[in-house]
């Protein structure tokens, strides 16, 4: 595994290759990331992982400052993946040297869920994905369905503009079905147990809505109950059609999307 620390080395190293699989991350490497990397290794001659905590996608400075980062432990985990070729760890100036203000906009119909509650977040994500794709020129980008709205918007944006496929990969959970996330590193063991209990309550909803007609009404009532029971703030809890991201009362073709705050840590999931 070769570590690439700037754009010059990146361009020189990747130059001869066209069959490149790319896994963008913000570090805090866990088994969710590793599943994307293994998927890329299976489908591409070369695989590159990036670690870059992109300040432009944080709508909250405190969230950015407290984002779990540990480059040493990330590298020691990544080194164990025998067939991983490259890790790219750019500095801010490598990505934003051409700091032309981006005019990337999110269509109004997609300004729901995280786009509604984290103003400017996806504009920041699309901007950095645009820059990374220009630099790396991957054949395939692998992204997690855990962040489904992100995957959906990046796929729409990148596949229109570049000769690159954006491939969605299934969500990895721990043995108690809690979705793996770098933000889980911010939780103590006790807090993690509590979050697992909350997550179980959310997951139960999937069965409950199976035979309900007004799914979103039911979810609104459940939202209030779960908030009161666990003393948490839920930002959204909605049943969404995964083809067009519109609100839906149909079970088929939809997923429940949710975001909530446990203490001041924002967690998301969809299933
Ligand atoms: P992040 O480092 O959180 O920005 O995530 C980098 C990539 O890993 C994104 O495409 C995420 O959707 C994906 N990812 C994060 N957590 C998981 C998970 N539990 N299962 C699958 N993919 C994940």
């Amino acid at each position: 595994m070769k570590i690439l620390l700037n754009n010059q080395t990146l361009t020189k190293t990747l130059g001869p290759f066209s069959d490149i699989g790319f896994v963008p991350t913000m570090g805090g490497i866990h088994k969710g990331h590793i599943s994307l990397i293994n998927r890329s290794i299976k489908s591409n001659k070369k695989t590159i992982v990036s670690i870059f905590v992109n300040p432009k996608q944080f709508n909250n400075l405190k969230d950015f400052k407290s984002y779990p980062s540990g480059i040493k432990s990330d590298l020691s985990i990544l080194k164990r993946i025998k067939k991983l070729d490259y890790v790219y760890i750019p500095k801010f100036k490598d990505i934003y040297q051409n700091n032309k203000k981006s005019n990337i906009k999110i269509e109004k119909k997609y300004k729901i869920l995280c786009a509604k509650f984290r103003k400017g977040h996806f504009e920041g994500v699309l901007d950095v994905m645009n820059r990374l794709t220009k630099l790396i020129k991957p054949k395939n980008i692998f992204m997690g369905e855990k962040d489904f709205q992100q995957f959906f918007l990046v796929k729409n944006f990148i596949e229109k503009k570049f000769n690159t496929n954006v491939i969605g990969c299934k969500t990895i959970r721990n043995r108690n079905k809690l979705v793996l996330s770098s933000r889980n590193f911010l939780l103590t063991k006790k807090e993690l147990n509590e979050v697992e209990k909350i997550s179980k309550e959310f997951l139960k909803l999937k069965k409950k809505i199976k035979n309900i007609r007004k799914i979103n009404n039911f979810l609104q009532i459940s939202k209030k109950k779960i908030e009161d029971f666990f003393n948490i703030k839920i930002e959204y809890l909605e049943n969404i059609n995964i083809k067009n991201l519109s609100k839906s009362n149909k079970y088929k073709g939809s997923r429940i999307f949710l975001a909530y705050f446990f203490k001041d840590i924002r967690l998301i999931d969809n299933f």
Side-chain angles (χ1 to χ4, degrees), residues 112-115 117-118 146 149 198 202 223 226-227 232-238 256-262 265-271:
I112 54 161
L113 310 174
C114 288
F117 288 96
R118 296 185 73 188
K146 177 232 163 199
Q149 189 176 18
I198 299 170
F202 282 126
K223 176 173 181 264
I226 296 176
E227 278 185 321
I232 53 168
K233 171 91 192 85
I234 301 175
E235 252 181 11
Y236 59 77
L237 178 66
E238 291 175 15
I256 297 174
F257 284 71
L258 64 94
Y260 66 101
F261 282 93
F262 178 82
I265 302 165
R266 188 175 182 277
L267 300 168
I268 62 171
D269 198 355
N270 70 86
F271 40 83

Side-chain angles (χ1 to χ4, degrees), residues 177-178 195-203 260 269:
K177 297 266 188 324
L178 176 68
V195 168
E196 283 174 350
K197 278 187 204 141
I198 299 170
S199 161
K200 264 188 198 139
E201 220 41 53
F202 282 126
L203 289 167
Y260 66 101
D269 198 355

Side-chain angles (χ1 to χ4, degrees), residues 1-2 5 11 16 18 29 34 46 74 80 121 185 190 196 204 244 249 267:
M1 182 183 89
K2 200 168 165 190
L5 293 172
T11 326
S18 58
I29 299 296
I34 294 171
K46 296 283 174 193
D74 284 349
R80 279 184 241 139
H121 166 62
F185 293 129
K190 193 162 163 255
E196 283 174 350
K204 276 187 203 159
N244 57 20
N249 276 314
L267 300 168

